[in-house]
Amino acid sequence: TYYVSERDQRFRYPSVIQNFIKTWAELTFNWDSKLPGTNETDSGIKVNSKRVPTSTYFASLLMEPEFGKASLDKIAELVPSTVFSGQVRSTIIISFLSEPREIRPGEWEVDMIATRLIVDRSLGKDERIPFNRTFRIKAVEIQTSPLGDQASAFEQKVYEIRSAGLEINKITEFNPQ
């Protein structure tokens, strides 16, 4: 049974907002030498003189456009080139996601406590980096591809990841005070 009710166009269920943040974090920080969900080698996307994994590029599309572009530059600095050869792998372990706090209609904050785990297979060591952040998210228009099933795989992926109708417009250090 489905329950249908009329809602403001900026309304988003808390679980949708939390899943959106979780998706962004996983796309941004889960790195290996394969394209997600395939056995194909990921050569990455060039960002200035560096590269980021393809999934990280897609994660930047979940952000306000200029913020996403600027974030790619910063994230590219964190990605070792050995990710693309499979020597280094990375994942994010999310320990806590807060309930969204509505700042104003159509805008929320969510706190995340997580750890980035980076494993260097050739050295047999790992590094654990705390990643505790507060995200500011806003509702945006939910768009669908004008080409539908006829769209390229790239275009379909872009519209798929933006289907929550949300956009990150600010990320700050999490302060529990």
Side-chain angles (χ1 to χ4, degrees):
T1 304
Y2 288 100
Y3 176 75
V4 178
S5 66
E6 190 172 320
R7 300 278 187 169
D8 180 278
Q9 67 183 13
R10 295 172 294 190
F11 174 82
R12 301 294 183 273
Y13 285 101
S15 61
V16 169
I17 296 168
Q18 288 173 309
N19 285 336
F20 174 81
I21 294 300
K22 182 179 176 215
T23 298
W24 177 86
E26 290 171 351
L27 287 172
T28 301
F29 294 113
N30 288 356
W31 309 327
D32 67 12
S33 59
K34 303 288 181 203
L35 289 169
T38 73
N39 241 356
E40 295 179 45
T41 301
D42 183 3
S43 57
I45 304 289
K46 191 170 178 153
V47 176
N48 295 324
S49 62
K50 302 253 183 192
R51 288 186 294 165
V52 296
T54 302
S55 63
T56 302
Y57 170 79
F58 278 114
S60 75
L61 301 176
L62 296 176
M63 305 170 89
E64 181 277 320
E66 290 304 313
F67 183 40
K69 187 177 178 185
S71 294
L72 270 181
D73 287 340
K74 299 289 186 196
I75 293 168
E77 296 296 322
L78 302 176
V79 179
S81 61
T82 50
V83 162
F84 301 102
S85 66
Q87 181 180 333
V88 171
R89 297 182 78 176
S90 170
T91 193
I92 190 161
I93 301 164
I94 299 172
S95 304
F96 172 77
L97 269 178
S98 72
E99 285 289 318
R101 295 181 302 279
E102 190 170 47
I103 305 302
R104 62 184 62 88
E107 195 166 343
W108 304 267
E109 281 188 346
V110 174
D111 300 320
M112 180 174 72
I113 297 174
T115 302
R116 291 180 45 227
L117 174 63
I118 301 170
V119 177
D120 187 324
R121 295 162 123 172
S122 66
L123 300 176
K125 70 174 191 164
D126 71 34
E127 182 179 8
R128 297 163 195 229
I129 304 166
F131 188 78
N132 305 327
R133 301 291 188 272
T134 297
F135 295 83
R136 174 95 33 109
I137 307 106
K138 68 177 180 175
V140 295
E141 186 175 336
I142 299 173
Q143 300 174 333
T144 56
S145 171
L147 298 176
D149 292 342
Q150 304 302 310
S152 68
F154 174 80
E155 184 179 320
Q156 287 179 18
K157 186 66 176 174
V158 169
Y159 282 100
E160 174 192 329
I161 66 171
R162 293 203 37 103
S163 65
L166 294 166
E167 207 170 69
I168 298 168
N169 58 11
K170 186 176 183 180
I171 302 173
T172 57
E173 289 285 331
F174 170 63
N175 183 353
Q177 268 57 310

